[in-house]
Amino acid sequence: MIKKYLENINNSSDLKNLSIEELSLLAQELREFIIDVVSVKMGHLGASLGVVELTIALHYIFDTPNDLLVWDVGHQAYPHKILTGRRNSFHTNREFGGISGFPKLGESVFDAFGTGHSSTSISAALGMSIASKLKGENNRHHIAVIGDASIASGMAFEGLNHAGVTKSNLLIILNDNEMGIDPNVGALKNYLTSVKQGKDIHQKNVFEAFDISYSGPIDGHNLNDLIDELKRLKSIKGPKLLHVITRKGKGLRKAEDDQVTYHAPGPFNKFSGELIDQKELDLAPKFQDVFGLTLVELAESNEKIIGITPAMPTGSSLKYMIEKFPDRAFDVGIAEQHAVTLAAGLATQGMLPFCAIYSTFLQRAYDQIIHDVALQNLPVVFCIDRAGLVGEDGPTHHGAFDLAYLSCIPNMIVFCPMNAMELRDMLFSVQFDLNGPVAIRYPRGRGRHVDWRKSFNRIETGKGRLIKEGKDLAILSVGPLGETVQLICKKQAYSNVAHYDMRFVKPLDENLLDKIFQTYTMIITIEEGTVKGGFGAAVLAYKNIKKADHVGIECLGLPDKFIEHGSMQQLYELVGLDQKSIEKVIDRTRINKNC
């Protein structure tokens, strides 16, 4: 097809010059453009392909950016970005220095709100609507586009509950495709299915119970119907919800047929949709798979083990336990707070719950961690995936803060395995004598060990280990960065550098630290978490308690700012956690010691 529409769209106002037939042709071009770029540059594919017509219709009917449009999560925002002045820069999507993979305040006036986490759109758009009313901007429209997975979250219901009593000029678009990253679950999903089938729409409409006007469901790929209905809703005051049915991956058969894989598929053939072979046969496993497969192994002999994840069975690899023990493993939907307190309830009854949550999403359940788990000292195992930097997803998804925000909580044990074997051993060890909560944090991606399935060894709580002796200075590491330190220490130039894998951020191995303070006058701590309140800060605090004034400590970690998106190597270099940067710190420290 000869492209002649998309290349002339530089902002949303250009859409208004096209006929409905031309808009349909634009939709085809837009899908082809997204597939063309994402097939090579990678990113979130399926959700964006599913909202092409909806995006066009919204910008066609409403006066964006004066009318404020909020995209929940942002996985579905690629068409929006392309149609609002970022077509020529879209090839830089998620690249270091390029545009963000999510809507982002400051990137464009068309991005009304930054959305990397789910279920925030209704509350944000409602706040904008109330502000417009207070300023006398009574004709301004406020639109929240939220998926059916995201609307099941508690925060979305809090927003609905408030919206219904405000009479605000708010339009909620429910983008119903029965998918988050994995298939949707729960009673609300079943309700929406019954609505789509025409069952009891008026008798039990949950949205009208919130005093929100409901319309739909309508075909989200029919531009005529979308435009007609949006035009009608534009003239209606007060809060309203339009139920739109879309298909995730629309326009690419492979993406439609395998919506889980094609949520963010990696490189693929743009014509056939076939994934490009990444030759992973001889690679070490992903940390998430080490967790998921080990948990199944443990659950086979321990009937008290329960698995829980909030909408991430594939991403966390809890899918293995769900498949093997469906009665003992639960995907609770996008509901991190519920996941944590559900685990707490199970723990009161003698179960051993393993709650698998990404670091960045565990932030959403902080009160539940403190009030429902730690305060009651319940044995809940938090398996914290994607801890540390996560690469191209950027600041909304980096797991930068868990070491700091967990270490300050009484009763909490915080463990950082250096490799897959330590992760496996700690999962095994928490079955014994666990009297309170424990957090096990591990990174996104693969480890370095292909042969990881070794016999279990019990790890004693709060005990670090000496990896390599040395005379010049000591490096204290937690987590997989310890393997980078190992590589450094193998070089002749650093043969006199000692290395300790401390493993526990809380409790610290104070006996080991006492010996280290007695032996070394220079120490470097290394962690892949914020240096504010993290592992290094805990070592410094202990040094002050012991009045070890003769010991100099330099703390390496993530700086006190939000880290942008980019490849892992680029980000490590940016924050000084790549091998060369660490070696420079060692060299400088040794020079200062000898001065």
Side-chain angles (χ1 to χ4, degrees):
M1 181 178 68
I2 300 174
K3 294 180 172 63
K4 64 176 185 178
Y5 296 109
L6 183 58
E7 63 189 22
N8 294 316
I9 303 298
N10 296 309
N11 58 64
S12 60
S13 62
D14 293 330
L15 295 172
K16 304 181 191 306
N17 299 322
L18 302 181
S19 65
I20 303 300
E21 182 180 355
E22 289 172 325
L23 290 176
S24 296
L25 294 174
L26 172 65
Q28 295 179 45
E29 289 187 27
L30 185 51
R31 273 202 176 84
E32 289 181 5
F33 183 79
I34 293 170
I35 291 169
D36 188 41
V37 175
V38 177
S39 66
V40 177
K41 297 291 186 176
M42 298 182 285
H44 295 101
L45 178 70
S48 285
L49 291 181
V51 296
V52 166
E53 288 85 4
L54 176 60
T55 307
I56 291 172
L58 286 168
H59 283 295
Y60 181 74
I61 291 298
F62 291 97
D63 180 26
T64 56
N66 180 60
D67 290 335
L68 299 171
L69 176 58
V70 180
W71 294 92
D72 208 279
V73 181
H75 292 158
Q76 54 186 334
Y78 288 2
H80 162 79
K81 291 203 168 201
I82 294 164
L83 295 176
T84 55
R86 287 163 280 184
R87 181 187 71 252
N88 292 334
S89 59
F90 186 66
H91 67 283
T92 70
N93 183 45
R94 303 171 80 245
E95 289 184 352
F96 187 72
I99 65 173
S100 170
F102 302 95
K104 182 179 180 181
L105 277 174
E107 183 178 288
S108 169
V109 294
F110 288 91
D111 290 358
F113 200 73
T115 50
H117 290 185
S118 82
S119 314
T120 61
S121 62
I122 296 174
S123 297
L126 178 60
M128 296 169 188
S129 178
I130 291 172
S132 292
K133 186 175 181 180
L134 291 172
K135 293 189 292 184
E137 299 168 349
N138 297 318
N139 293 320
R140 199 175 197 186
H141 297 275
H142 313 82
I143 308 105
V145 184
I146 185 168
D148 50 324
S150 296
I151 207 168
S153 170
M155 184 176 180
F157 270 76
E158 293 169 16
L160 289 170
N161 186 53
H162 185 197
V165 298
T166 62
K167 307 304 179 186
S168 292
N169 196 14
L170 173 68
L171 171 61
I172 302 165
I173 306 289
L174 174 57
N175 174 27
D176 184 354
N177 59 22
E178 298 187 348
M179 293 289 296
I181 295 176
D182 289 274
N184 293 341
V185 296
L188 183 59
K189 178 258 184 183
N190 294 337
Y191 163 74
L192 293 174
T193 298
S194 72
V195 169
K196 286 182 283 188
Q197 294 172 348
K199 299 176 182 177
D200 300 326
I201 295 177
H202 299 292
Q203 287 83 351
K204 61 171 192 175
N205 190 288
V206 66
F207 302 109
E208 291 183 345
F210 284 107
D211 203 18
I212 294 173
S213 176
Y214 172 90
S215 61
I218 67 170
D219 182 358
H221 300 300
N222 187 314
L223 267 171
N224 282 297
D225 290 352
L226 281 171
I227 287 172
D228 287 346
E229 185 60 13
L230 290 174
K231 190 179 297 183
R232 184 186 74 83
L233 291 171
K234 188 177 180 180
S235 65
I236 297 174
K237 300 294 184 182
K240 45 207 173 278
L241 183 143
L242 174 60
H243 187 176
V244 175
I245 310 302
T246 64
R247 183 158 182 80
K248 194 172 181 179
K250 176 72 173 178
L252 184 66
R253 177 57 61 86
K254 288 283 186 180
E256 292 185 40
D257 293 343
D258 187 356
Q259 296 179 346
V260 174
T261 298
Y262 284 82
H263 171 75
F268 62 92
N269 184 296
K270 65 181 180 181
F271 300 108
S272 68
E274 292 285 348
L275 299 181
I276 295 175
D277 184 13
Q278 296 295 290
K279 296 182 175 62
E280 297 181 348
L281 294 179
D282 297 325
L283 296 179
K286 295 178 180 178
F287 277 93
Q288 67 187 59
D289 287 336
V290 173
F291 157 74
L293 295 170
T294 300
L295 192 64
V296 170
E297 189 176 345
L298 297 174
E300 288 173 341
S301 57
N302 187 345
E303 294 182 353
K304 293 183 178 181
I305 288 178
I306 306 292
I308 302 168
T309 189
M312 286 297 187
T314 299
S316 70
S317 291
L318 192 69
K319 63 180 181 180
Y320 298 122
M321 188 171 175
I322 292 174
E323 292 167 358
K324 187 70 179 288
F325 300 106
D327 294 335
R328 292 164 54 196
F330 305 97
D331 172 7
V332 300
I334 301 177
E336 293 86 1
Q337 297 175 15
H338 166 62
V340 172
T341 305
L342 174 68
L346 286 161
T348 66
Q349 302 304 305
M351 297 293 109
L352 180 57
F354 286 72
C355 194
I357 307 182
Y358 291 8
S359 171
T360 186
F361 299 148
L362 188 61
Q363 296 164 183
R364 295 159 64 91
Y366 195 52
D367 179 62
Q368 286 69 30
I369 297 169
I370 295 174
H371 181 271
D372 299 338
V373 177
L375 180 61
Q376 304 183 93
N377 205 25
L378 293 172
V380 173
V381 184
F382 294 102
C383 301
I384 306 175
D385 199 344
R386 271 60 167 185
L389 299 173
V390 298
E392 290 83 359
D393 281 345
T396 59
H397 283 62
H398 291 320
F401 308 110
D402 57 89
L403 290 179
Y405 72 66
L406 292 174
S407 295
C408 65
I409 301 174
N411 296 330
M412 183 68 70
I413 296 169
V414 182
F415 178 80
C416 304
M418 189 171 82
N419 52 42
M421 291 77 75
E422 282 195 346
L423 170 57
R424 177 173 164 82
D425 285 342
M426 191 60 184
L427 292 169
F428 167 77
S429 299
V430 295
Q431 298 177 99
F432 309 101
D433 303 323
L434 184 64
N435 298 314
V438 58
I440 306 172
R441 59 111 66 176
Y442 46 93
R444 180 184 188 181
R446 300 180 183 278
R448 304 188 186 189
H449 301 273
V450 176
D451 182 21
W452 60 278
R453 261 189 167 141
K454 300 181 182 296
S455 299
F456 289 115
N457 291 298
R458 191 164 168 181
I459 295 175
E460 185 178 353
T461 299
K463 294 300 180 182
R465 61 184 180 128
L466 171 66
I467 299 291
K468 177 184 171 295
E469 294 181 335
K471 299 178 180 179
D472 286 354
L473 58 87
I475 297 178
L476 281 53
S477 67
V478 289
L481 280 175
E483 298 209 294
T484 301
V485 176
Q486 278 189 307
L487 293 176
I488 293 171
C489 289
K490 288 178 180 178
K491 298 172 74 170
Q492 182 62 34
Y494 303 101
S495 59
N496 282 326
V497 173
H499 178 207
Y500 293 84
D501 172 24
M502 296 303 291
R503 303 199 287 196
F504 289 88
V505 175
K506 187 177 183 183
L508 287 172
D509 189 339
E510 295 181 353
N511 290 331
L512 185 57
L513 282 176
D514 287 341
K515 294 177 182 178
I516 294 170
F517 290 166
Q518 291 168 9
T519 307
Y520 301 95
T521 58
M522 293 302 301
I523 293 172
I524 298 172
T525 67
I526 296 180
E527 62 195 297
E528 197 170 330
T530 177
V531 292
K532 297 288 186 178
F535 165 65
V539 174
L540 280 170
Y542 184 69
K543 171 200 161 181
N544 290 336
I545 290 172
K546 301 297 288 188
K547 295 181 171 54
D549 297 332
H550 66 286
V551 179
I553 298 178
E554 180 158 357
C555 301
L556 301 185
L558 302 182
D560 186 24
K561 63 179 181 180
F562 292 105
I563 311 301
E564 60 183 293
H565 59 272
S567 71
M568 290 296 291
Q569 183 59 34
Q570 288 169 323
L571 297 185
Y572 281 142
E573 292 173 2
L574 178 69
V575 300
L577 292 178
D578 62 301
Q579 183 171 332
K580 288 184 178 179
S581 296
I582 295 172
E583 289 175 357
K584 288 180 180 178
V585 174
I586 296 172
D587 294 340
R588 171 169 48 78
T589 303
R590 290 198 293 193
I591 291 171
N592 291 339
K593 175 188 174 185
N594 294 325
C595 288

